């Protein structure tokens, strides 16, 4: 991602102020006692519970109207310069992000406090992701993964479900290659190229796109046939 995600953790008298910028935007102040704190501006959740687990670890439960939708575990390295954040949610592979200390003075009473920048070389957002693609019986395909759609290879727009984008168009480049364009507000927001190996056992995804905040994404994923 360019620019990379940023995370700021500021220690207060009896709480912490957390600000995240980039693909996910957060800004909240919470005590470390497990009480619910309201969070605005994020469609996935509107409440958090923060608990400290020892001096170098913390756990955040993300909630939507009182129901837990994800558990986020934070672990600080022994030298205090690397932060590992693991996000666990039902039905999804764990997301592991690695962060490097990029500013802010170390605070003896709160080692997690500081300014952090995501390290893309160590981050594993979609490791273990599963996608399913099958013929729809009408010359097109049904795709399901982080989002879903049914579309034909005719360059026309088809609706997306559970996606930040609105529609998708598919073009068959050759028998082993498909180009997919994802549209948001009548603009192309993301382009994917799917290439299937000659033996049909491996599929490679190369993707590039722009998030709503202007952040650029480039990604390469390899899928093995199950």
């Amino acid at each position: 991602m360019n620019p990379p995600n940023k995370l700021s953790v500021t220690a207060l008298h009896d709480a912490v102020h957390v600000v995240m910028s980039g693909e996910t935007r957060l800004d909240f102040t919470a005590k470390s006692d497990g009480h619910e704190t309201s969070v605005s501006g994020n469609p996935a959740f509107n409440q958090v519970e923060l608990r400290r687990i020892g001096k170098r670890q913390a756990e955040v439960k993300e909630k939507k109207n009182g129901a837990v939708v994800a558990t986020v575990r934070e672990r600080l390295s022994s030298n205090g310069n690397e932060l590992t954040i693991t996000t666990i949610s039902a039905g999804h592979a764990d997301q592991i992000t690695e962060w490097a200390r990029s500013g802010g003075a170390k605070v003896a009473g709160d080692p997690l406090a500081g300014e952090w920048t995501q390290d893309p070389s160590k981050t594993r957002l979609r490791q273990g992701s599963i996608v399913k693609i099958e013929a729809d019986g009408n010359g097109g395909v049904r795709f399901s993964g982080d989002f879903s759609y049914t579309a034909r290879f005719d360059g026309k727009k088809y609706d997306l479900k559970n996606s930040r984008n609105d529609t998708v168009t598919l073009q068959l480049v050759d028998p082993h290659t498909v180009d997919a364009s994802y549209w948001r507000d009548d603009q192309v927001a993301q382009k994917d190229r799917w290439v299937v190996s000659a033996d049909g056992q491996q599929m490679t995804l190369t993707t590039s796109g722009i998030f709503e905040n202007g952040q650029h994404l480039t990604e390469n994923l390899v899928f093995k046939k199950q």
Side-chain angles (χ1 to χ4, degrees):
M1 294 184 184
N2 181 31
N5 294 328
K6 299 284 187 178
L7 174 66
S8 171
V9 180
T10 304
L12 304 177
H13 173 62
D14 59 350
V16 292
H17 182 204
V18 178
V19 178
M20 182 179 288
S21 60
E23 178 191 8
T24 300
R25 301 188 66 83
L26 291 175
D27 189 336
F28 66 88
T29 300
K31 294 183 178 181
S32 304
D33 56 6
H35 282 78
E36 287 184 354
T37 299
S38 296
V39 177
S40 60
N42 192 302
F45 57 93
N46 52 24
Q47 299 162 317
V48 296
E49 288 182 9
L50 173 62
R51 295 181 186 273
R52 285 302 176 96
I53 308 172
K55 192 173 182 179
R56 295 182 178 272
Q57 296 188 60
E59 181 179 271
V60 179
K61 290 190 180 297
E62 299 174 346
K63 293 185 171 183
K64 183 74 170 183
N65 300 328
V68 176
V69 294
T71 299
V72 181
R73 293 173 181 161
E74 303 173 352
R75 185 180 74 252
L76 188 67
S77 63
S78 58
N79 64 8
N81 292 324
E82 296 178 347
L83 182 65
T84 300
I85 300 180
T86 303
T87 301
I88 304 166
S89 57
H92 297 276
D94 292 354
Q95 293 188 348
I96 301 174
T97 58
E98 297 285 350
W99 305 74
R101 186 181 294 276
S102 54
K106 292 184 179 180
V107 180
D110 191 347
L112 274 72
E115 305 292 330
W116 303 87
T117 299
Q118 189 174 341
D119 184 347
S121 67
K122 298 178 180 179
T123 289
R124 297 292 181 267
L125 286 177
R126 297 170 66 180
Q127 188 169 2
S129 294
I130 297 175
V131 300
K132 184 177 182 180
I133 303 171
E134 56 187 349
D136 71 345
N138 193 32
V141 293
R142 285 190 294 268
F143 176 97
S144 59
D146 293 336
F147 53 88
S148 61
Y149 62 82
T150 299
R152 301 179 70 178
F153 304 102
D154 54 11
K156 296 180 180 179
K157 293 180 180 179
Y158 294 89
D159 291 338
L160 294 165
K161 295 181 180 179
N162 301 319
S163 173
R164 62 167 56 90
N165 300 313
D166 303 319
T167 57
V168 61
T169 60
L170 299 182
Q171 294 281 1
L172 192 63
V173 178
D174 59 46
H176 291 273
T177 307
V178 172
D179 282 346
S181 296
Y182 299 91
W183 299 72
R184 186 191 319 129
D185 299 328
D186 292 324
Q187 300 288 330
V188 175
Q190 180 177 322
K191 290 185 176 182
D192 288 357
R193 170 159 284 194
W194 297 86
V195 180
V196 178
S197 61
D199 62 6
Q201 298 302 305
Q202 179 172 296
M203 184 167 62
T204 302
L205 166 64
T206 302
T207 184
S208 62
I210 302 175
F211 293 113
E212 294 92 330
N213 60 9
Q215 190 179 32
H216 289 255
L217 167 73
T218 56
E219 188 174 40
N220 290 295
L221 297 174
V222 176
F223 296 85
K224 300 287 187 179
K225 192 170 186 178
Q226 302 296 307

